[in-house]
Amino acid sequence: MNTDTLIIYAFVAFFYIISPGPAILLAIYNGAVNGSKVVMVSALGNIIGLMFLSILSISGLSAILLTSSTLFAIVKIVGAFYLIYLGVRQLFSSNKASNKKLELNNNRSLSSYFKEGLLVAATNPKPILFFVALFPQFLDTSYSILPQFVIMTVIFMAFSFLSLSGYGYLAQKAKGLLSNINNMKWFHRISGALFVGMGTSILFIKNES
C-alpha cells in the first residue's frame, strides 16, 4: 500500500468514525454521567470489538456472514436488541431519579463498562459492512495482504478510540448542565430513546449480497 492510498483510507475512515452512531452515543452518555475513566474503558472495549470484526474480515468469516442471510440476520438482531436494552435501561434510570443528588451506576465495575463497549461494537453489523466493502478497495495485491490489514485496522482503532474519548470529554465538560435533576431525567429519556431508535434502525439494515 503506497502513501497516497493510505492517506485516502485514513480520510475515509476518519469521517466514517466521527459520524454519529451507537458507540458515540454511549461515549457521550458515559462522559456526561460517569466520567472520563469510564469513557476510556468503554472505548477500549469498543476498539477490541472492532478488532474482532476486522479479524473476521481478514479470515473471510464476515464474507460468510454477508452471503448467509440467516447468519447476518442473527448478528443484526442481537446487535439491535442489545442497543434497545441499553435504551430501555436508561429510560428506567430516569424514572428512578429523586430530588437528592443523582448517583447512577456507582456500583458497576469498570469491567462491565468494558464489556458494554465491546458488545456495542461486536454486535453492530455496520462495521462488518464497512470492513468488507472498503478494506478491499485499498489493498494493493503487489504487497503482502496481512500487513496492510493490520495497518488499516490499527488506524481504524486509533481513530475510534480518539473519537470516543473526545466525545466523552466534551460531554463531561457539559456535565454542569445535568446537575439539575430535571435536566438529568430528560438526558436519560432522550439518550434512551436514541438508543432504542438506533437499535430499531439496525433491524432494517439489508444484506445487499
Side-chain angles (χ1 to χ4, degrees), residues 51-180:
M51 183 177 69
F52 169 74
L53 294 180
S54 176
I55 292 172
L56 284 180
S57 177
I58 295 171
S59 65
L61 291 179
S62 54
I64 295 175
L65 285 175
L66 291 176
T67 55
S68 170
S69 58
T70 300
L71 288 176
F72 186 85
I74 291 173
V75 171
K76 181 172 65 175
I77 291 171
V78 170
F81 277 97
Y82 185 67
L83 290 179
I84 292 171
Y85 158 75
L86 292 179
V88 171
R89 189 176 69 185
Q90 290 179 29
L91 290 172
F92 275 108
S93 293
S94 69
N95 295 329
K96 294 178 181 178
S98 65
N99 291 325
K100 298 179 181 179
K101 183 180 178 180
L102 190 63
E103 295 181 357
L104 296 171
N105 302 323
N106 58 354
N107 60 338
R108 291 183 60 185
S109 65
L110 288 177
S111 63
S112 70
Y113 293 106
F114 176 87
K115 293 174 184 176
E116 187 175 76
L118 188 150
L119 286 172
V120 166
T123 60
N124 188 351
K126 290 183 180 179
I128 297 177
L129 294 172
F130 175 86
F131 289 137
V132 173
L134 290 183
F135 266 26
Q137 307 301 321
F138 297 96
L139 292 175
D140 188 339
T141 55
S142 63
Y143 295 93
S144 177
I145 298 298
L146 183 58
Q148 295 180 73
F149 265 115
V150 172
I151 291 171
M152 288 192 290
T153 299
V154 169
I155 290 173
F156 197 90
M157 292 171 64
F159 281 166
S160 295
F161 185 83
L162 292 174
S163 173
L164 296 177
S165 298
Y167 276 109
Y169 175 79
L170 293 175
Q172 185 181 22
K173 287 299 182 182
K175 192 174 182 179
L177 296 174
L178 303 177
S179 58
N180 180 286

